Amino acid sequence: MVLRSFIILILFVYNSAFGQIKTESFEFIHNGKKLRGLLDLPIGQKPTSVILIVQGYGKSNIVEGNWYYDLRSNFVKLGLACVIWDKPGCGKSEGEFDVNQTVQSSADEVLSAIKEIESKNIAGATNIGLWGISRAGWICPLVIQEYPKIAYWISVSGTDDKENFGYLLETNLRIEGRSETEIQLLVSEWQRGNDIFRKGGAFAEYQKATQNLRKDSFWIFLNNSSETEESYLSKQKQFISEHHKFDRKTGLMIYVPNFRKTLMKIQCPVLAIFGEKDANINWRETIALYKETIGKRTKAKLTIKTYPDCNHNLKSCKTGGMKETIENSNKYQPPCDGYFDTMSEWFKKIVL
């Protein structure tokens, strides 16, 4: 892999309640493509650490949209340098956006950024940590496995060892007012349809197995359009060619084989934060998994914090459902009370 990058110029100097922040352009090469992002630095002091923000699912607009500014500012206030970038094909990053980018590919991307930070000897580079949300719960442990010098990890709304869609579907159907009988029927149809799809079953068989599910308004909301045989077969061919692994008992996809063993190897301090109204990931399962793995490692110093009225993005909410979250996505929503304080106090006590 050829790896080049440049810290080009100072873009912004912010004055806020967090203090002055100097923001520079951060660029690095991954798989032959230049990815562009931001490096935030405290003014008037040398950073004690560099923290990388590892994003969750979906497209990004980090540079133009100045995404995660409140989070980044909080880290800079603590004396940290903060690095974040746009995914391939997003913002001004080169390449094509792949909605199905594997977690291993995303982890390799993070490792490329770390190599760049070290090669440029950015202040704080001897003490690199990770903050990651949602699917980053799979990405960050892979990074730590390949780069055991990671000093700490903040896992926000982290994933357990299997795919989360079954939980997402069931929880949101309940929020949408379906009866328990209806939920059981619709989830079982999804499971059956998923099984047919991944094993190469015919489109007609899939249609028959999911006839009630496909008529449900929440399912229609998720999928936007009706599936055609052509699109079904195209997606199926691609999916099967990727040789995914599945849990025999539940039929759920496994994104990181031997994930429990991967977590057991983590020896850095870990702060795990969850919203108790998270309708995307099964936060209770993740907490149990972390306790059974990371929690048994003395050096890991696992700390867990939950917030009663917070959603997947750690924003205050009424239901935590996907519809509510999407409807509020274009509005500024302050983080849940105490969320930033929890991270700050943890840093001061455990890391700094």
Side-chain angles (χ1 to χ4, degrees):
M1 182 186 298
V2 178
L3 188 65
R4 295 187 286 117
S5 130
F6 312 93
I7 300 296
I8 303 181
L9 63 138
I10 295 176
L11 293 179
F12 313 105
V13 175
Y14 294 106
N15 286 281
S16 70
F18 296 98
Q20 285 194 319
I21 303 169
K22 180 174 69 173
T23 299
E24 301 178 352
S25 173
F26 177 79
E27 300 179 359
F28 64 99
I29 300 296
H30 176 68
N31 285 344
K33 304 295 182 182
K34 183 180 290 186
L35 303 186
R36 294 179 168 92
L38 302 171
L39 167 65
D40 297 305
L41 298 161
I43 291 178
Q45 67 179 107
K46 184 178 180 180
T48 56
S49 174
V50 178
I51 186 167
L52 287 78
I53 294 181
V54 184
Q55 301 171 68
Y57 181 83
K59 292 186 176 182
S60 67
N61 188 24
I62 300 300
V63 177
E64 293 183 355
N66 201 24
W67 282 15
Y68 293 95
Y69 176 67
D70 50 357
L71 177 69
R72 291 154 43 205
S73 300
N74 187 67
F75 291 144
V76 172
K77 179 185 178 182
L78 294 169
L80 281 63
C82 184
V83 170
I84 188 171
W85 61 92
D86 276 310
K87 299 177 182 180
C90 296
K92 295 185 182 299
S93 287
E94 296 177 351
E96 294 184 9
F97 174 70
D98 181 5
V99 71
N100 295 313
Q101 182 179 14
T102 67
V103 292
Q104 183 61 63
S105 172
S106 295
D108 292 340
E109 196 176 294
V110 175
L111 290 166
S112 292
I114 290 173
K115 288 180 181 178
E116 181 56 31
I117 290 166
E118 290 186 322
S119 70
K120 292 299 180 183
N121 197 26
I122 294 172
T126 58
N127 189 30
I128 294 175
L130 304 172
W131 178 99
I133 189 168
S134 194
R135 77 188 286 270
W138 291 310
I139 298 167
C140 291
L142 291 175
V143 173
I144 296 170
Q145 180 175 258
E146 294 297 320
Y147 187 86
K149 291 193 293 182
I150 290 294
Y152 54 87
W153 170 32
I154 300 177
S155 174
V156 178
S157 303
T159 44
D160 64 10
D161 55 341
K162 293 178 280 293
E163 72 166 288
N164 61 303
F165 189 79
Y167 173 86
L168 182 154
L169 180 62
E170 178 179 342
T171 304
N172 278 275
L173 287 173
R174 190 167 290 114
I175 289 170
E176 292 295 313
R178 307 296 183 271
S179 68
E180 292 303 311
T181 301
E182 289 173 321
I183 291 170
Q184 184 177 3
L185 171 65
L186 296 172
V187 171
S188 66
E189 285 197 3
W190 168 73
Q191 291 172 330
R192 175 60 180 150
N194 193 39
D195 196 51
I196 292 168
F197 174 81
R198 70 183 179 87
K199 292 181 178 179
F203 179 64
E205 185 182 7
Y206 172 82
Q207 291 281 96
K208 183 178 179 181
T210 58
Q211 54 187 327
N212 293 295
L213 177 65
R214 290 182 291 103
K215 295 174 185 176
D216 185 83
S217 60
F218 180 70
W219 181 263
I220 294 170
F221 167 77
L222 285 180
N223 291 277
N224 292 321
S225 61
S226 299
E227 185 84 85
T228 65
E229 184 170 11
E230 182 181 7
S231 64
Y232 172 88
L233 293 175
S234 176
K235 292 175 185 176
Q236 185 183 62
K237 182 180 179 180
Q238 175 64 34
F239 186 82
I240 291 175
S241 72
E242 293 167 347
H243 304 292
H244 298 287
K245 297 185 181 297
F246 296 85
D247 179 66
R248 290 183 180 180
K249 182 178 180 180
T250 64
L252 296 174
M253 191 160 77
I254 297 172
Y255 285 88
V256 181
N258 301 313
F259 188 53
R260 286 176 176 266
K261 290 183 179 179
T262 302
L263 291 176
M264 284 290 291
K265 295 176 183 178
I266 293 174
Q267 299 192 58
C268 65
V270 177
L271 172 61
I273 300 175
F274 302 91
E276 294 181 17
K277 288 188 176 179
D278 191 330
N280 289 43
I281 59 100
N282 192 335
W283 58 275
R284 295 178 182 86
E285 288 287 339
T286 305
I287 287 177
L289 175 63
Y290 282 5
K291 287 181 177 180
E292 293 166 5
T293 54
I294 303 170
K296 293 184 178 180
R297 305 289 291 182
T298 304
K299 292 183 180 179
K301 297 179 182 177
L302 175 64
T303 303
I304 296 172
K305 177 68 176 178
T306 68
Y307 292 88
D309 295 310
C310 290
N311 63 17
H312 186 65
N313 297 323
L314 269 292
K315 307 290 186 181
S316 296
C317 65
K318 292 181 180 179
T319 69
M322 283 194 69
K323 284 187 177 180
E324 178 189 53
T325 300
I326 291 172
E327 286 170 1
N328 292 329
S329 62
N330 292 325
K331 308 172 187 174
Y332 173 73
Q333 293 177 278
C336 292
D337 289 343
Y339 168 45
F340 284 174
D341 290 339
T342 293
M343 290 188 287
S344 297
E345 291 166 7
W346 180 78
F347 265 110
K348 293 172 184 176
K349 180 180 179 181
I350 304 294
V351 178
L352 301 180

